[in-house]
Amino acid sequence: MNILIIGGGGREYAIGLRLREDKNVLNLYFAPGNGATKAFGKNLDLKDFNELALFAKNNDVALTVVGAEEPLTKGIVDIFKAQGLAIFGPSAAAAKLEGSKAYMKDFLARNHIKTAKFLSSDDLSEISKFIDTLNGRIVVKADGLCAGKGVIIANSKDEAKKAAADMLSGESFGEAGKRVVVEEFLDGYELSFFAICDGENFVSLPVAQDHKKLLDGDLGPNTGGMGAYAPSPLADAALIKRVESEIVAPTLKGMKQQGAPFCGVLFVGLMIVGGEPYVLEYNVRFGDPECEVLMPLIDGNLSEILYNAAVGKLSSISLKERFAVGVVIASERYPYGSSQPALIEVGEIPAGAHICYAGVSERERQIYASGGRVLVSVGVAQSLKQARDAAYALCENIKFSGAQYRRDIAHQALRDKI
Ligand code: AMP
Ligand code: GLY
């Protein structure tokens, strides 16, 4: 089959790389793709959803896979489905789970799914009153999509009130901040839980852990994610069972009941507090860089798994008994600003390691770092430590001006398990 992948980051590169292993996959198309996806697919310069659907029809595309949240919240799935095209991802109505934090929190409360105590409002005096009832750090979030930047963790009530006021005025995040969610700070560890869903049923993927902060030791500013690994030993079988029965199953049931069945990947951002799983947020797509470590762990025919989910007939999934670690190499000024394009030189690729390219461009067959998160060095092995070592051995052989990466990916898991 021919497959169209919407997006152009490391996540979409990883999906493409994995799909290329399926014997039944003929052509891969990326819209827009990046400078490195050209090596195994065709990049398309199309943005309009109707034009993309027309391309899919004219080129025998049997399945479209959507990487990022934005086209999902804007209804790409609805447009493709209306034209009888198979597409893996949620409808705009179901994508609201990520598109609006207020919607998500109300959904969680209505369905009795554990989450941080919260208030969602557009009224500053109501918000201030709620803030006065909270102790310790306070989290203030813009309602709409802000490319991962709309969350402020305030150290005092005054700071929280100021953050809320700045959001409501439109100053910090424009329209996305005209409604805010204020919530209690949950002190625990985060995990990324992924389930492939067909609207009714789901299969879980290995539990991953991301590293959102820029610097070693989880310090510095928040980023889109500086590295990930899976499966995480921080999630044992009992915890996974609880997440499935107390969070994922009721989420699918609740979405179906309200007329927006969830098809695609449900990504539950969890905070584990004293052994209890709380939902921090839902995302309606694979995480990036989590996707880069999950793809090599999936056994069997991925195109069939995604196709079956897309058409409402979920099939089982088998997983490799392996661990994967992904280390993001970012450009010099990430996450503050863009950097000058820099030639990427790759030396020897150690056994068990590979690269997923993200923010790169291509010129005369050379790959250039063109900004943000440039690539992910992925190690896959029989133990987490071996996978980590393979990923870092590859990092040492990748050079470009201004390259930066964390040295401690998987530290929470490996601390006492080396
Ligand atoms: P979100 O976009 O809601 O996942 O928030 C981004 C990041 O902010 C999360 O990955 C957490 O690290 C942090 N965060 C969000 N909400 C909370 C909370 N209630 N307690 C502690 N940390 C939080
Ligand atoms: N890595 C977190 C995300 O994709 O939202």
Side-chain angles (χ1 to χ4, degrees):
M1 62 165 92
N2 297 335
I3 300 184
L4 168 61
I5 297 172
I6 308 290
R11 166 180 49 208
E12 292 78 17
Y13 183 99
I15 295 170
L17 199 64
R18 177 59 187 77
L19 284 170
R20 203 181 52 161
E21 287 176 24
D22 292 353
K23 292 205 170 57
N24 60 323
V25 173
L26 294 174
N27 297 305
L28 285 178
Y29 299 102
F30 293 89
N34 63 41
T37 54
K38 285 184 197 170
F40 56 96
K42 188 170 184 323
N43 287 356
L44 307 176
D45 188 17
L46 295 175
K47 283 201 184 77
D48 181 83
F49 299 160
N50 285 300
E51 283 178 32
L52 284 163
L54 187 65
F55 176 88
K57 273 197 176 154
N58 291 343
N59 291 276
D60 281 332
V61 169
L63 174 68
T64 298
V65 181
V66 188
E69 61 278 17
E70 207 188 301
L72 294 167
T73 56
K74 289 187 172 158
I76 190 168
V77 168
D78 307 77
I79 287 180
F80 272 58
K81 284 201 169 157
Q83 304 194 32
L85 292 161
I87 181 163
F88 181 75
S91 64
K96 241 182 136 182
L97 276 183
E98 177 166 359
S100 163
K101 290 195 192 295
Y103 174 89
M104 165 198 64
K105 293 294 286 194
D106 290 341
F107 176 86
L108 287 166
R110 235 184 5 261
N111 289 281
H112 311 290
I113 298 171
K114 220 181 259 169
T115 188
K117 199 163 76 176
F118 74 101
L119 174 80
S120 103
S121 172
D122 57 6
D123 178 67
L124 189 58
S125 70
E126 192 186 12
I127 291 168
S128 295
K129 272 193 209 132
F130 180 71
I131 288 174
D132 285 331
T133 69
L134 298 175
N135 295 313
R137 281 174 281 181
I138 296 164
V139 186
V140 184
K141 304 182 176 185
D143 175 39
L145 288 179
C146 300
K149 296 192 181 72
V151 175
I152 307 283
I153 298 180
N155 288 311
S156 69
K157 292 182 178 164
D158 284 345
E159 206 184 303
K161 287 176 191 172
K162 177 158 187 340
D166 288 350
M167 284 187 194
L168 289 175
S169 72
E171 207 170 285
S172 341
F173 302 109
E175 278 304 309
K178 292 273 170 83
R179 187 171 188 88
V180 303
V181 170
V182 177
E183 61 185 38
E184 63 177 338
F185 180 84
L186 295 175
D187 202 359
Y189 59 90
E190 283 182 64
L191 291 173
S192 302
F193 195 99
F194 296 88
I196 294 187
C197 310
D198 71 354
E200 198 151 348
N201 299 303
F202 68 93
V203 285
S204 305
L205 295 178
V207 179
Q209 192 174 40
D210 187 13
H211 300 68
K212 294 230 161 92
K213 302 283 185 183
L214 181 71
L215 305 172
D216 285 4
D218 297 320
L219 298 172
N222 254 332
T223 68
M226 292 302 289
Y229 68 92
S232 174
L234 301 173
D236 61 13
L239 181 72
I240 293 172
K241 235 183 160 162
R242 284 193 63 189
V243 174
E244 289 180 335
S245 63
E246 294 171 24
I247 297 172
V248 181
T251 301
L252 292 192
K253 192 164 163 230
M255 291 303 284
K256 193 172 172 216
Q257 266 168 3
Q258 63 187 57
F262 191 92
C263 250
V265 201
L266 182 69
F267 165 3
V268 188
L270 293 170
M271 183 72 89
I272 313 300
V273 186
E276 296 288 312
Y278 286 76
V279 176
L280 274 187
E281 62 167 351
Y282 292 110
N283 296 302
V284 298
R285 34 94 192 159
F286 280 112
D288 193 348
E290 289 96 326
C291 187
E292 288 89 320
V293 296
L294 290 174
M295 286 298 128
L297 301 178
I298 297 175
D299 213 356
N301 192 305
L302 180 64
S303 54
E304 243 167 50
I305 293 167
L306 300 182
Y307 180 85
N308 289 343
V311 298
K313 292 188 206 137
L314 191 71
S315 50
S316 62
I317 191 165
S318 57
L319 299 167
K320 292 184 185 157
E321 290 199 3
R322 292 276 187 283
F323 291 85
V325 175
V327 179
V328 170
I329 307 189
S331 58
E332 189 170 13
R333 300 188 57 227
Y334 181 76
Y336 305 106
S338 55
S339 310
Q340 285 298 319
L343 180 67
I344 303 174
E345 289 173 288
V346 180
E348 191 196 336
I349 306 223
H354 67 270
I355 300 175
C356 286
Y357 286 99
V360 297
S361 54
E362 183 256 0
R363 215 172 56 216
E364 291 166 5
R365 295 179 180 266
Q366 309 256 49
I367 301 291
Y368 289 79
S370 52
R373 293 185 292 172
V374 172
L375 59 84
V376 186
S377 168
V378 182
V380 183
Q382 262 159 355
S383 76
L384 196 53
K385 184 174 179 309
Q386 285 169 332
R388 193 250 334 244
D389 292 346
Y392 277 112
L394 176 53
C395 285
E396 295 205 357
N397 295 345
I398 298 171
K399 306 266 182 264
F400 62 90
S401 169
Q404 57 159 331
Y405 59 91
R406 277 181 64 160
R407 315 275 158 169
D408 65 346
I409 299 306
H411 70 97
Q412 282 191 30
L414 286 169
R415 187 170 295 144
D416 47 15
K417 289 183 197 287
I418 293 181

